Amino acid sequence: AVDESELLTVPDGWKEPAFTREDNPKGLLEESSFATLFPKYREAYLRECWPLVQKALSEHYVNATLDLIEGSMTVTTTKKTFDPYAIIRARDLIKLLARSVPFEQAVRILQDDVACDIIKIGSLVRKRDTFIKRRGRLLGPKGSTLKALELLTNCYIMVQGNTVSALGPFSGLKEVRKVVLDTMKNIHPIYNIKTLMIKRELAKDPELRSQSWERFLPKFKRKNLKKRKEPKKKNTKKEYTPFPPPQPESQVDKELASGEYFLKERQKKRKRMEEIKAKQADAVKKRQEERNKAFIPPKEKPVVKTKKASTEKKIDVEAIKEKVKNAKKKKLGALPVEEVKLKMAADEKKKKKK
């Protein structure tokens, strides 16, 4: 009896046997070819590394041609080609070279356990500014986010223009695609990196191989903190009434209400002229007031009289007398000769007594 969990897993260190000429001794019946265009800025690099590309593909008996006039790369099978999948790998190689992947990395696609994935991200975001921000988020500060993603997935990742080229094992490519698409959907790559780190630690435990990892993985809730800005002018709905609004008064109705309608043409003209003259008089009055403002003198500040400092000072005679007395008591300078002799004699007497 064999445990089912053991049957579902691949043994550690197992590799699929390499495809040799013995597996397909008669070769291929038809010739297959693939071509891809490359941008002009890649021309100089492709010229340099093209001999290396031809050498690498010649080991698999695949021809490669570089057309600089048309700006294309073509790979074709030959009569000696025995591996039918070699042309697919050669196609992926020229695709990666066109997407700015260096030759040292792109040539790894010819290995059996390495695959590639070119993710198109240009059409996932509408606004160009938003697209550039999210693409920059995938790179991270000084490329740190991209480097962390490469270490966790064991893949080489190249962000160029509107595409992301990834090169590595199949399991890693699946994770890279998920992270890239989530980043373009405004989910920060740090969340996926945290999940990948936990999965990497869980994979080391053989007991958890047949168990679900959902309980260990973090669940991030999407928070929309930005509140909708309230408009300055709020449109309030009026109460519904079945009756239509009253009809606005016409010019004739206004004239009938003021009695102007019944006046004669002369009287109407006179009234209009009086209104015009009244307006003109108001305008002249305002203009005159503006002009007169320049002739109004400014208000002067009141003069403040400064108080003269009193020159007379009260002299304290008693305090001066005290100072003189104290000065007399103090002995200034060296002692007189007689006092010095007396002092020396007293010191000698003391020494003799001892």
Side-chain angles (χ1 to χ4, degrees):
V2 181
D3 191 13
E4 286 183 8
S5 62
E6 289 180 10
L7 293 171
L8 294 169
T9 55
V10 178
D12 294 331
W14 182 85
K15 279 188 178 182
E16 194 174 342
F19 194 87
T20 58
R21 185 171 280 284
E22 292 170 6
D23 296 319
N24 187 18
K26 292 181 181 179
L28 305 173
L29 295 171
E30 294 290 331
E31 186 185 282
S32 302
S33 66
F34 288 101
T36 185
L37 298 169
F38 61 86
K40 198 169 185 179
Y41 61 84
R42 291 290 290 167
E43 187 178 320
Y45 180 79
L46 289 171
R47 263 188 195 173
E48 287 177 16
C49 72
W50 197 250
L52 297 169
V53 174
Q54 286 178 322
K55 190 182 176 183
L57 291 173
S58 65
E59 292 173 8
H60 298 270
Y61 303 102
V62 177
N63 284 339
T65 53
L66 178 68
D67 189 351
L68 295 173
I69 297 163
E70 194 184 337
S72 66
M73 293 179 280
T74 313
V75 286
T76 52
T77 55
T78 59
K79 288 180 181 179
K80 290 184 179 180
T81 310
F82 62 88
D83 187 1
Y85 201 72
I87 188 66
I88 303 296
R89 289 200 183 116
R91 178 203 65 181
D92 291 342
L93 173 64
I94 58 172
K95 269 189 182 179
L96 290 168
L97 288 169
R99 292 315 310 146
S100 297
V101 176
F103 170 75
E104 291 78 12
Q105 291 291 341
V107 78
R108 286 171 54 212
I109 196 69
L110 299 173
Q111 298 170 16
D112 286 339
D113 57 342
V114 178
C116 76
D117 190 9
I118 294 168
I119 308 152
K120 292 178 181 177
I121 56 172
S123 59
L124 296 175
V125 184
R126 285 183 185 178
K127 289 182 181 178
R128 185 70 186 167
D129 295 342
T130 312
F131 168 72
I132 291 162
K133 275 183 186 177
R134 289 180 189 176
R135 187 179 64 182
R137 200 180 289 167
L138 190 64
L139 293 165
K142 296 179 182 178
S144 58
T145 307
L146 197 69
K147 190 69 183 171
L149 202 61
E150 283 180 348
L151 291 168
L152 289 166
T153 57
N154 297 323
C155 292
Y156 173 81
I157 305 163
M158 181 75 187
V159 181
Q160 175 71 18
N162 294 332
T163 57
V164 176
S165 307
L167 187 78
F170 291 98
S171 57
L173 292 175
K174 189 182 174 184
E175 297 293 345
V176 170
R177 179 170 272 274
K178 184 181 179 296
V179 173
V180 169
L181 294 176
D182 281 355
T183 306
M184 289 295 126
K185 289 175 187 173
N186 203 20
I187 298 167
H188 204 282
I190 196 68
Y191 298 128
N192 285 309
I193 285 167
K194 280 183 180 178
T195 309
L196 286 170
M197 286 169 76
I198 293 162
K199 280 182 180 177
R200 195 179 189 181
E201 292 299 317
L202 292 169
K204 292 175 185 177
D205 193 350
E207 292 179 6
L208 297 168
R209 191 173 280 178
S210 59
Q211 295 178 19
S212 176
W213 292 353
E214 286 295 320
R215 57 202 169 106
F216 300 110
L217 300 177
K219 290 175 184 178
F220 302 106
K221 289 181 181 179
R222 199 167 182 178
K223 292 178 181 178
N224 191 9
L225 298 173
K226 284 187 178 179
K227 291 181 179 178
R228 184 178 166 271
K229 288 182 180 178
E230 292 183 0
K232 288 180 180 178
K233 292 180 181 179
K234 289 184 180 179
N235 296 327
T236 53
K237 286 186 177 180
K238 294 176 182 177
E239 290 182 9
Y240 172 74
T241 52
F243 308 105
Q247 197 172 359
E249 287 186 345
S250 64
Q251 192 67 27
V252 177
D253 292 337
K254 287 175 184 177
E255 286 179 1
L256 283 167
S258 62
E260 195 180 338
Y261 184 78
F262 303 104
L263 295 173
K264 289 178 182 179
E265 197 64 35
R266 277 185 194 174
Q267 289 172 329
K268 284 180 183 179
K269 262 188 183 180
R270 198 186 300 145
K271 194 177 181 183
R272 276 189 223 121
M273 289 301 292
E274 283 173 3
E275 285 174 0
I276 290 163
K277 282 178 181 178
K279 280 181 182 179
Q280 284 176 351
D282 288 338
V284 168
K285 193 179 179 182
K286 282 179 182 177
R287 208 178 299 125
Q288 198 65 38
E289 284 175 2
E290 286 291 325
R291 283 176 184 171
N292 290 338
K293 276 181 184 178
F295 300 104
I296 297 167
K299 288 182 179 179
E300 292 181 0
K301 291 178 181 178
V303 180
V304 180
K305 290 180 180 179
T306 53
K307 291 179 179 179
K308 289 181 181 179
S310 56
T311 52
E312 294 176 2
K313 290 180 181 178
K314 291 179 180 178
I315 298 163
D316 194 358
V317 181
E318 294 296 325
I320 292 165
K321 283 179 180 178
E322 282 291 323
K323 280 183 183 178
V324 172
K325 278 181 186 178
N326 292 334
K328 281 180 181 178
K329 285 176 184 177
K330 287 179 181 178
K331 291 178 181 180
L332 300 170
L335 293 167
V337 180
E338 291 175 359
E339 284 185 15
V340 171
K341 284 178 180 178
L342 289 168
K343 217 174 191 182
M344 285 172 75
D347 289 338
E348 282 176 4
K349 280 180 183 178
K350 283 180 182 177
K351 281 179 184 179
K352 282 177 182 179
K353 282 179 182 178
K354 286 178 181 178

